[in-house]
């Protein structure tokens, strides 16, 4: 029960439509993991679903969102945990936690277990590696072998990392499906800005959104979100403390100039 309350995700459901861009990745995960979760009988033999899915790429590009969307679209329970929270437990606790995590996920199947920063859990053996983290890693690999659509219930393990090169070979091998989640290109940035502005009072016209997408080369989805959040504060900032007395309809819309100001701050 404690594990469930700690790591079961009860946040808002995420759908694939909420994820801007990443069309190839979305298509692939639908085919290789969502459909097999729904219809395991169709996906046997060569079509057998992977036990583990590794999402790798720069930070803030939507790996967690993909994990949540997979769970939502396949009607699975979503468990989310970061490696650091597993390894920072008291000696012996981390190992037990891994075992319990998989047991709970099995009971709640179909389920998706999302592990962020998986590199720090399954790192290449280092000389300074201590006994506790070695045991957590071993336990994790053992558990990973026992899952998948053909094993104990439908439990999909998704590992996310910004440093795939630091995973050791034994770990990498177990994530039979690996997907690169890149930074958004210009078109994707434009799409994401539109998604972010949706449901907000704003005055940006198409050409301004296009210009912003052009000027944010190298931004991740999370960076664009931070930029938009900052820009959205623009109208309030201009009013200063007077904003607190203003009727909501009298707050000016978020404008292009607010994005330019936010961009200057970031640069
Ligand atoms: P990290 O590697 O830092 O854990 P991540 O790749 O898991 O990052 P997310 O947590 O999924 O990234 O994304 C961070 C935030 O950025 C999301 O909550 C979302 O608001 C926004 N975001 C990133 N990419 C996208 C996208 N493609 N579509 C919509 N929102 C996105």
């Amino acid at each position: 029960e404690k594990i469930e309350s700690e790591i079961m995700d009860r946040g808002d459901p995420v759908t694939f439509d909420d994820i801007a861009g990443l069309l190839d990745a979305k298509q692939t995960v639908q085919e290789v993991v969502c459909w097999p979760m729904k219809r395991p009988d169709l996906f046997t033999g060569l079509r057998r679903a992977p036990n583990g899915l590794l999402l790798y790429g720069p930070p803030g590009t939507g790996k967690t969102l993909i994990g949540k969307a997979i769970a939502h679209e396949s009607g699975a329970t979503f468990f989310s945990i970061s490696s650091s929270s597993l390894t920072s437990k008291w000696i012996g606790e981390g190992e037990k936690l891994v075992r319990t995590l998989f047991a709970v996920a099995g009971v709640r199947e179909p389920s998706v277990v999302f592990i962020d920063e998986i590199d720090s859990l399954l790192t290449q053996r280092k000389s300074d590696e201590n006994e506790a983290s070695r045991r957590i890693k071993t336990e994790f690999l053992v558990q990973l072998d026992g899952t998948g659509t053909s094993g104990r219930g439908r439990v999909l393990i998704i590992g996310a990392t910004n440093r795939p090169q630091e995973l050791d070979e034994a770990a990498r091998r177990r994530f039979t499906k690996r997907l690169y989640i890149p930074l958004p290109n210009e078109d994707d940035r434009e799409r994401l800005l539109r998604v972010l502005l949706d449901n907000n009072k704003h005055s940006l016209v198409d050409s301004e959104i296009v210009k912003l997408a052009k000027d944010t080369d190298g931004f991740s989805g999370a960076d664009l979100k931070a930029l938009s959040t900052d820009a959205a504060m623009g109208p309030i900032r201009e009013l200063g403390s007077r904003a607190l007395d203003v009727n909501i309809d009298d707050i000016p819309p978020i404008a292009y100039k607010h994005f330019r100001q936010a961009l200057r701050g970031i640069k």
Side-chain angles (χ1 to χ4, degrees):
E1 274 170 19
K2 185 155 175 293
I3 287 241
E4 280 204 46
S5 65
E6 249 184 57
I7 61 176
M8 214 164 107
D9 189 87
R10 293 174 214 275
D12 288 339
V14 173
T15 69
F16 282 112
D17 289 339
D18 297 326
I19 304 174
L22 297 177
L23 298 180
D24 290 345
K26 289 199 277 188
Q27 172 82 25
T28 305
V29 294
Q30 298 253 30
E31 278 179 22
V32 302
V33 298
C34 291
W35 297 344
M37 289 258 232
K38 287 185 179 162
R39 284 293 305 274
D41 56 316
L42 298 181
F43 293 85
T44 55
L46 286 174
R47 284 195 295 263
R48 206 177 86 101
N51 289 348
L53 169 67
L54 184 70
L55 302 177
Y56 64 100
T61 44
K63 295 183 281 304
T64 310
L65 286 183
I66 290 183
K68 287 187 176 176
I70 290 174
H72 179 66
E73 307 246 338
S74 32
T77 320
F78 186 70
F79 295 93
S80 166
I81 196 159
S82 80
S83 299
S84 48
S85 67
L86 279 176
T87 45
S88 68
K89 296 281 168 188
W90 298 101
I91 298 181
E93 283 292 295
E95 199 184 336
K96 210 158 73 190
L97 199 58
V98 170
R99 239 188 334 261
T100 317
L101 167 65
F102 280 81
V104 174
V107 171
R108 290 278 176 195
E109 61 121 14
S111 50
V112 168
V113 177
F114 184 89
I115 303 170
D116 210 0
E117 314 159 26
I118 188 102
D119 49 282
S120 66
L121 185 66
L122 301 177
T123 184
Q124 288 168 32
R125 220 151 286 226
K126 293 196 193 99
S127 51
D128 63 349
E129 194 179 49
N130 60 29
E131 175 66 13
S133 54
R134 199 184 55 72
R135 287 170 62 160
I136 293 177
K137 179 166 145 189
T138 308
E139 182 63 43
F140 190 83
L141 294 179
V142 166
Q143 294 291 341
L144 199 54
D145 283 337
T147 56
T149 47
S150 61
R152 148 171 48 89
R154 283 174 289 163
V155 179
L156 172 72
I157 310 300
I158 304 180
T161 176
N162 312 320
R163 290 171 301 193
Q165 70 282 3
E166 289 185 15
L167 285 185
D168 82 0
E169 189 45 38
R172 215 180 346 238
R173 244 198 343 262
R174 283 165 171 93
F175 288 95
T176 42
K177 186 73 197 168
R178 301 160 210 159
L179 268 184
Y180 178 58
I181 308 298
L183 284 173
N185 60 24
E186 195 175 316
D187 285 345
D188 289 344
R189 291 196 299 276
E190 186 187 327
R191 283 194 194 99
L192 182 51
L193 284 166
R194 288 183 198 283
V195 169
L196 289 165
L197 283 168
D198 220 25
N199 297 324
N200 283 276
K201 184 170 154 191
H202 74 88
S203 64
L204 280 86
V205 295
D206 275 352
S207 61
E208 291 169 337
I209 299 180
V210 169
K211 180 83 172 68
L212 284 174
K214 214 185 266 308
D215 291 345
T216 45
D217 189 27
F219 277 52
S220 69
D223 295 333
L224 286 175
K225 187 173 180 185
L227 176 77
S228 308
T229 304
D230 194 26
M233 278 305 291
I236 302 278
R237 234 176 249 143
E238 277 169 6
L239 289 171
S241 57
R242 275 184 301 137
L244 300 178
D245 302 317
V246 167
N247 189 306
I248 185 157
D249 296 327
D250 296 330
I251 302 277
I254 308 167
Y256 181 62
K257 66 171 178 185
H258 299 130
F259 274 89
R260 299 305 326 177
Q261 282 158 5
L263 259 180
R264 269 199 298 280
I266 287 174
K267 279 197 174 136

